[in-house]
Each structure stands twice: as structure tokens, then as C-alpha cells.
Amino acid sequence: MGRRDDARRRPLGAQADAADGSGQVANDLDRAKELWSAVRCAGVLLALLLLVDWGSGRTALWRAALWLVLSGLLFVVLYPARVAAGENWLASRRILREHRVRTDLLVSVRCLDGISQRLLLRDALGGRVEVDPEVLVRNPQLWFRLEEGARKAAADGSLLCGATALQRIARRVDRETARAVFEASGLE
């Protein structure tokens, strides 16, 4: 139990893989763009609200504070998760908390449909992570780390459900990777 708690307290991406000593960590490469997009959206909302107040002549300090809080809430909602993966683990960190699963001990993988599709991963130790499948599709290294651990879990018999969801994502990753290769080689 102590080892798991220690691993959860380490900063995201700082966990070295003790088994092989490589310490290779795959990260979401597009997160910076998404973060700047969240900042821009919140800033534009704040500017528009302040501009409307100024134009209507109803500018007040309490209203400006209210608009600032509202744009701050928008930023919190749009804040992208930082997803990282190493050998046998995958982690997702939001503003306040990091969630981590052991991919070699996965027991279920489910697709949650809604406004945005999410992939819910659960491990045998009680870890739970929700990841946007688009992050895995855009970052093949993250997908490789997850698939590698999921294969170990399936071979050990701990992955009880979720093979179909993983196969769908594998097909999407393969399709996008092939498309990127064709674009890079000019064969599209």
C-alpha cells in the first residue's frame, strides 16, 4: 500500500519505471494548444462582458468581479487534463487532482458516451481514470503505453470487459497513423 501511495504523490511524469530503469514517459503533445485555447476563451468572455457593461454605462466594481469569477469558471471547465503514460501506468491530472491506473492490472475499460466521449479505465487496485479517446488517437505513444499494459492485463485474465472499446480505439489510431504517414510522404 505504501508504494502505491508514494507513486500517487509523485508529480505527473516523474515516476520512473523501476522494472526496466528506462523511465520513458509519453505525454499529450497537444495539451499546450488546448490550454491556450482555454485561456483565450475565458479572456474573450471577460473582455466581452466588460465591454458590454462599459457600453451600457453600468460599469461597477462588483459587476467586474462577477464577470471575472464567471470567466474563471469557464477556464476551470475548459482546462485540459494532462495525460501521461509510462510502463504499466496511465495518469490524468486536472487542476486539483491526479488520477492514475495500473494498465497491467486493468479490470475494465468502458466508453462513456455523452456530450464528449470518455474512456473509463479501472484497475484492480481501485484506480480510476477518465481519458478523452481523442488524446490517445492524437498521441500514438500514449496509446502504445496503454495498449501494452492492457495486453498484459488481458493475458493475465484481469481485464474482464473492454476489449471491444480498446479494439475500436486501436483501429482509429491505426487509421490516423496511416493517414499521417500518407500526408507526410505526399501520397494522400
Side-chain angles (χ1 to χ4, degrees):
M1 174 110 179
R3 294 186 74 179
R4 184 169 182 241
D5 289 339
D6 292 342
R8 286 184 180 235
R9 283 189 215 124
R10 291 184 202 150
L12 185 65
Q15 177 173 347
D17 299 291
D20 66 355
S22 69
Q24 295 178 359
V25 176
N27 290 296
D28 181 6
L29 303 175
D30 292 335
R31 183 177 178 273
K33 292 177 196 171
E34 293 175 7
L35 183 61
W36 278 111
S37 179
V39 169
R40 279 193 303 268
C41 287
V44 166
L45 177 68
L46 178 62
L48 286 175
L49 290 172
L50 291 174
L51 188 63
V52 166
D53 261 3
W54 177 73
S56 68
R58 297 180 0 185
T59 306
L61 186 59
W62 68 271
R63 288 174 64 95
L66 178 67
W67 302 145
L68 183 64
V69 168
L70 188 63
S71 64
L73 286 174
L74 178 64
F75 174 74
V76 168
V77 168
L78 295 178
Y79 186 83
R82 180 176 179 201
V83 180
E87 186 173 340
N88 298 326
W89 62 271
L90 183 117
S92 173
R93 179 165 185 84
R94 300 291 293 189
I95 288 181
L96 298 176
R97 189 174 162 138
E98 176 183 304
H99 296 278
R100 184 181 294 260
V101 291
R102 290 279 311 263
T103 56
D104 61 334
L105 299 175
L106 286 175
V107 292
S108 74
V109 178
R110 294 186 337 174
C111 268
L112 303 175
D113 291 325
I115 293 174
S116 67
Q117 190 179 37
R118 305 306 264 170
L119 194 65
L120 176 63
L121 308 165
R122 293 180 187 256
D123 67 11
L125 301 174
R128 178 179 183 260
V129 170
E130 279 188 37
V131 178
D132 183 1
E134 237 359 85
V135 171
L136 299 172
V137 171
R138 286 189 322 247
N139 299 284
Q141 285 297 325
L142 282 173
W143 168 247
F144 172 73
R145 292 294 189 171
L146 172 60
E147 185 182 37
E148 185 178 49
R151 283 185 184 180
K152 287 179 187 175
D156 293 342
S158 67
L159 184 60
L160 303 175
C161 66
T164 305
L166 290 173
Q167 288 171 356
R168 270 188 292 182
I169 294 174
R171 285 193 298 267
R172 283 183 62 197
V173 169
D174 291 343
R175 197 170 38 245
E176 291 299 319
T177 303
R179 182 177 293 135
V181 168
F182 286 138
E183 287 176 3
S185 63
L187 295 175
E188 184 184 27

